[in-house]
């Protein structure tokens, strides 16, 4: 990106991404989020962090 351009996908300390999910996966994710009153973005971020940790990749540790 050139100097002075504003990123359309980066907001503060977050990167906006788009994913395609099978409908069954999306429906189950919606059910989970509704049941526990969770934000989808937070749920997906948490799932990714746990997945990375399963591979031994440290995330968010200082």
């Amino acid at each position: 990106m050139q100097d002075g351009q504003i990123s359309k996908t980066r907001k503060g300390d977050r990167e906006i991404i788009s994913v395609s999910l099978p409908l069954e996966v999306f429906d189950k994710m919606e059910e989970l989020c509704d049941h526990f009153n969770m934000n989808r973005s937070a749920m997906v971020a948490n799932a990714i962090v746990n997945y990375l940790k399963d591979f031994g990749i440290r995330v968010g540790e200082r």
Side-chain angles (χ1 to χ4, degrees):
M1 183 167 42
Q2 295 176 4
D3 291 338
Q5 282 186 322
I6 297 173
S7 172
K8 294 180 181 177
T9 62
R10 187 162 287 181
K11 303 294 181 194
D13 66 343
R14 300 185 178 270
E15 183 74 26
I16 298 170
I17 64 169
S18 175
V19 296
S20 296
L21 299 173
L23 285 177
E24 182 180 7
V25 173
F26 176 78
D27 290 341
K28 294 297 181 183
M29 182 184 76
E30 286 283 285
E31 286 178 27
L32 179 78
C33 289
D34 288 345
H35 181 76
F36 290 102
N37 194 29
M38 288 193 300
N39 173 301
R40 284 189 310 214
S41 293
M43 193 275 314
V44 170
N46 190 10
I48 292 171
V49 166
N50 288 333
Y51 187 80
L52 292 171
K53 285 182 179 179
D54 286 348
F55 282 94
I57 300 170
R58 295 179 179 176
V59 180
E61 297 176 7
R62 292 183 182 209

